[in-house]
Each structure stands twice: as C-alpha cells, then as structure tokens.
Amino acid sequence: MTEVSAKAFLSYARADNEREGGRIVRLAQKIREEYETLTGTTIEIFVDSAEIRWGEDFRSRLDEALQQTAFFIPVLTPTYFLREECRKEMKAFVTSASALGLDALLLSVRYVPVPDMVEDSADELKATAARMQFESWDHLRLADENSAEYRAAVNRLAARLVELVARLEVTPSVAPAEALVEAFPAAEGAENRDDAPGTIDLLAELEPALEEWGSTLTEFPPTIGEINQLFVNATAEMEAANGSPKSFAAKVRISHELALAAEEPLTRLEALSKRYVTQLSDLDPRMRAFLSVAAQADPEERAAALASMRQLVDASAEASVGFTTAADAARANSGVSRDLRPVLRRFETATRNVIDAQSLIASWGEVIDKLLSDGAH
C-alpha cells in the first residue's frame, strides 16, 4: 500500500469543471499520479464537492488540514469568485492558516485570467489571491492533456508540492497556542503563572478594538440606505417617464445622474468595507487569545465577559443577511444600463467583502456558545 505523505483539498466551481468537460477534476488526478512518481508516496486530493461540503464536514477537514501536511488548492476563475460557497471555503482556510503561520499550505491555480485579481483590488478575496503563490494555467487549459507542454506543467505543480512538503517537515510550524496568543504572549499556560493576564485583563485589551469594529458595523446601514434611496428615487422617475415620447432618452439621463449621485456614498461604502475587514484581521488573533484564556476562567466571570461579545456576533450575523440581499440585488441588476453597471459591481464587491468575513465571526460564535454551554453545566 502506497504511503500517504500529504493531503490536499481542491476547491473549484462545479460549473467550471462541467464547462471544461471534467478537465479540472482530471487535473487533480494527474497531479496525484505525478506526485507519486516523484516521491514513491502519494498525496490524497479531495475534489468532489460532496466530499468537502461547507459546514461541519468542511470545518472538520479544515481542522485536520491545519494539524497535518495538507494543502488547500483553489482553482481560481471569474466564476469561483461569484460562488458564495467557494468564497467561504477560501476565506476560512486563508484566515485559519494565516493565524497559525501556515501560509505555505495555500497554493492556488489561476485557471483563467480573473478580472481585477490584483493586490489592491477592492474585492478583499481577490486581493488575497493575488498575494498568494499561484500557478498560472491561463493557456494550459487549451493544451492537449497528453501534450509535453501540459505534462511539464503538471510536473511543475507536483514538484512544487513535493518541495513544500519537504520544507514543512523540517521547519517547525507555529504552534496553534502560540499563534493565538501572539498579541498576549503570557496567555499560554496562564493558569500556572501568577503574573499572567486573566480573562478580565484580556477583555480590557480587547474592548477598544471591539468598540471600533462595532462602531464600523453601525455605519453600514445608513450608508447602504442612502444608496438604496437613490435607486428608489431613480426608479420612480423612470416609471414616471414611461409612455412619454422621449422615455428612452429620459431613462438614459436618469441612469447617468444616478451613477454620478451614487459616487460619493459608494466611495464611503468601499472605505467602510476595507476598514471593517482590516479591523477584523487585527481583532481575530486577540479574540482567539482571549477565548483560549476564557476557557480556563471561572464560569461566572467567563459568562459575564462573553455576553457582550455574543451580542456583537449576533448583530453581525443579522447585518450579513441584509448585505447578502443587497449584493444579490446589485448583481441581478448589473445589466440595467451601461452607466449603472460599474456602480452596481462596486456596490456588490463592497458588500461581499463584509459577507466573506462573516464565516470568521461565526467561528467566534461557535467557541463562545461552547464556552457558555460548558459554564452552564
């Protein structure tokens, strides 16, 4: 029986694989075979979307991947960034791996050119993908799968995985506990040291960051509401113009004026979106450090400290529903007019950034609920 030396999770949009006649799934098989040829061992690559469902199954596989030598390989395409489940998978893995100092476990394949996949993209996930190491498959998807060119590219990708496995085996990874308490080095082993910060001490450190994040969250509804009102007013004007001899010209003018009027609140929304994501990135290691210490705290003290956090998590989840509705509406209406198309796309991108972050916040909620439940027994 061939030894399994590594695992990988191929994340892809099913529609892409279907349009390609199964080439994406076959690529995984070819990588596996080439890896085995190069090493004498094998790499397990999970490719069936039924195997990596979002939710409990994916979460358990994610935890397993972070404990072992396991890679996350997203196959990046325009469709990939439009699929909520693909975005959730990638966001969850990137966030967890980065927090643990395991960025080398991320290796993407850019299957076709992706518009706006640059490091300063307004779409935070595209910006993250641009900063990651990736293999370009732009022209290889058109090559014969048995051609020397295609086989050489498969070899390069498999060899890259072999190199990363070897590097990870000789380089100690950041221990999860060390990564989680990066902002609070004394938290690890706190129960055994008199000078280590307790739950209340860490909460005091967290509160300013939580307040800033909560404040940013409250700024979204009025800003989105302002943009929505502009569309409501413009829709009423267009309906009033129906039936007039110059209705088409009137609607073009209204669309143009709407695009101009939306520029300022839209720019504000984009800034809010970036600030929100940045604040969460800064907050995440501190939150996890706090939760790791809270698990050791007195149940009564723990419950009091976690109550306000649970409220923020709930508020974020409630807001996320509104963001999803707004983003879906923007995408559905992106073909309304040439002037409005870029406006609606920018609006969708800004709201999607917030939606992507919700999986991270939900993971906090899971830990908080478990700690509260443990304290109740």
Side-chain angles (χ1 to χ4, degrees):
M1 187 175 187
T2 305
E3 175 191 353
V4 176
S5 61
K7 296 182 179 181
F9 302 96
L10 196 80
S11 175
Y12 64 97
R14 177 179 292 182
D16 285 328
N17 185 60
E18 292 175 352
R19 285 191 292 261
E20 290 289 286
R23 280 178 70 113
I24 293 176
V25 171
R26 290 199 299 275
L27 172 60
Q29 175 64 24
K30 291 179 182 298
I31 293 170
R32 178 166 44 230
E33 292 170 351
E34 184 67 14
Y35 184 97
E36 186 165 342
T37 298
L38 294 175
T39 66
T41 62
T42 193
I43 180 170
E44 289 185 352
I45 303 181
F46 300 93
V47 297
D48 192 331
S49 58
E51 291 184 85
I52 314 176
R53 294 188 300 273
W54 178 253
E56 183 177 350
D57 288 350
F58 179 76
R59 178 64 59 182
S60 65
R61 291 189 183 281
L62 173 60
D63 292 340
E64 176 187 352
L66 294 172
Q67 294 170 19
Q68 303 178 13
T69 302
F71 300 92
F72 183 75
I73 308 176
V75 181
L76 306 177
T77 66
T79 300
Y80 187 93
F81 288 100
L82 293 175
R83 295 291 187 266
E84 185 175 350
E85 298 307 309
C86 293
R87 294 180 69 97
K88 282 183 178 180
E89 288 181 3
M90 183 173 173
K91 181 68 176 180
F93 202 103
V94 167
T95 300
S96 299
S98 296
L100 298 176
L102 297 173
D103 296 291
L105 295 179
L106 305 165
L107 180 62
S108 59
V109 173
R110 191 184 67 190
Y111 198 67
V112 295
V114 178
D116 193 38
M117 199 181 99
V118 292
E119 293 188 14
D120 60 350
S121 173
D123 185 325
E124 289 295 326
L125 200 62
K126 286 186 178 180
T128 298
R131 290 191 290 267
M132 290 167 51
Q133 52 186 330
F134 65 82
E135 293 289 327
S136 174
W137 222 257
D138 296 354
H139 69 283
L140 290 164
R141 60 174 286 266
L142 303 176
D144 187 292
E145 293 173 87
N146 294 315
S147 67
E149 178 187 28
Y150 194 89
R151 294 183 61 192
V154 170
N155 170 265
R156 286 196 302 273
L157 191 50
R160 178 64 175 152
L161 289 170
V162 172
E163 174 191 341
L164 289 173
V165 169
R167 185 194 308 172
L168 288 166
E169 286 178 349
V170 299
T171 303
S173 61
V174 178
E178 294 169 352
L180 294 180
V181 299
E182 180 181 354
F184 309 104
E188 175 67 7
E191 68 278 9
N192 299 321
R193 298 213 302 274
D194 293 336
D195 62 343
T199 310
I200 297 302
D201 301 305
L202 292 181
L203 182 59
E205 296 282 353
L206 265 180
E207 281 182 338
L210 284 169
E211 288 176 2
E212 289 182 4
W213 172 56
S215 176
T216 299
L217 185 61
T218 63
E219 291 183 51
F220 279 104
T223 304
I224 291 178
E226 183 178 344
I227 296 173
N228 283 340
Q229 189 60 51
L230 290 173
F231 276 87
V232 169
N233 295 342
T235 299
E237 288 185 54
M238 288 184 182
E239 290 177 352
N242 284 335
S244 69
K246 298 182 179 180
S247 62
F248 179 76
K251 290 180 180 180
V252 170
R253 174 185 57 78
I254 293 168
S255 294
H256 181 68
E257 291 175 351
L258 174 57
L260 293 176
E263 179 62 30
E264 190 279 329
L266 183 57
T267 300
R268 201 183 331 134
L269 179 64
E270 289 173 327
L272 269 176
S273 174
K274 282 187 173 292
R275 190 204 314 166
Y276 183 85
V277 172
T278 299
Q279 287 173 339
L280 276 180
S281 296
D282 292 339
L283 186 58
D284 183 54
R286 289 165 172 77
M287 175 67 85
R288 293 179 185 276
F290 167 78
L291 293 175
S292 69
V293 172
Q296 309 295 327
D298 174 83
E300 185 174 339
E301 177 184 334
R302 177 197 308 165
L306 293 177
S308 60
M309 291 186 181
R310 180 69 258 185
Q311 291 177 352
L312 278 175
V313 169
D314 290 341
S316 177
E318 184 177 347
S320 180
V321 175
F323 290 135
T324 300
T325 300
D328 289 344
R331 180 185 298 174
N333 290 286
S334 61
V336 170
S337 82
R338 182 185 59 196
D339 286 328
L340 293 182
R341 188 176 300 119
V343 171
L344 290 166
R345 283 178 177 169
R346 288 171 62 191
F347 182 81
E348 182 192 0
T349 295
T351 51
R352 287 290 176 197
N353 288 336
V354 180
I355 296 167
D356 290 343
Q358 187 56 36
S359 60
L360 172 64
I361 301 165
S363 71
W364 300 346
E366 292 172 3
V367 178
I368 290 171
D369 288 343
K370 184 177 187 307
L371 292 176
L372 290 173
S373 175
D374 291 345
H377 296 91

